[in-house]
Amino acid sequence: MAQPPRRPKDARSEAEAAFKKATAPVVEAPAKKAAVPGVRELVSLRIDQDVLEHFQDGGPGWQDRINDALRKAAGK
């Protein structure tokens, strides 16, 4: 014998249950890639002229000095 269609007792809870089934769980962000030592990336950076002159006054290697200062500021 066929059963009659089931009628929800509480329409709101039935709708919430259906919504939970239909929505996908939140996907976690992918893990950060580990930095490879010694590999550098080319970036464009805007800094004040006086800061640039400070590092360039030391002669060649000014980009390395800026990198060292940024590394120290980042606590690494």
Side-chain angles (χ1 to χ4, degrees), residues 2-11 13-15 17-18 21:
Q3 293 183 349
R6 184 174 156 262
R7 297 200 180 249
K9 295 179 182 176
D10 178 13
S13 4
E14 292 290 326
K21 287 180 185 177

Side-chain angles (χ1 to χ4, degrees), residues 12-69:
R12 182 178 181 146
S13 4
E14 292 290 326
E16 287 176 354
F19 180 77
K20 284 181 184 177
K21 287 180 185 177
T23 56
V26 177
V27 179
E28 293 184 22
K32 290 184 178 180
K33 294 181 181 178
V36 180
V39 175
R40 295 190 175 190
E41 187 171 341
L42 179 63
V43 296
S44 176
L45 179 67
R46 292 181 183 268
I47 56 177
D48 294 333
Q49 184 65 35
D50 60 329
V51 174
L52 180 61
E53 288 172 357
H54 169 77
F55 285 100
Q56 287 180 334
D57 285 345
W62 61 271
Q63 291 171 323
D64 292 328
R65 289 190 293 277
I66 290 176
N67 190 61
D68 293 341

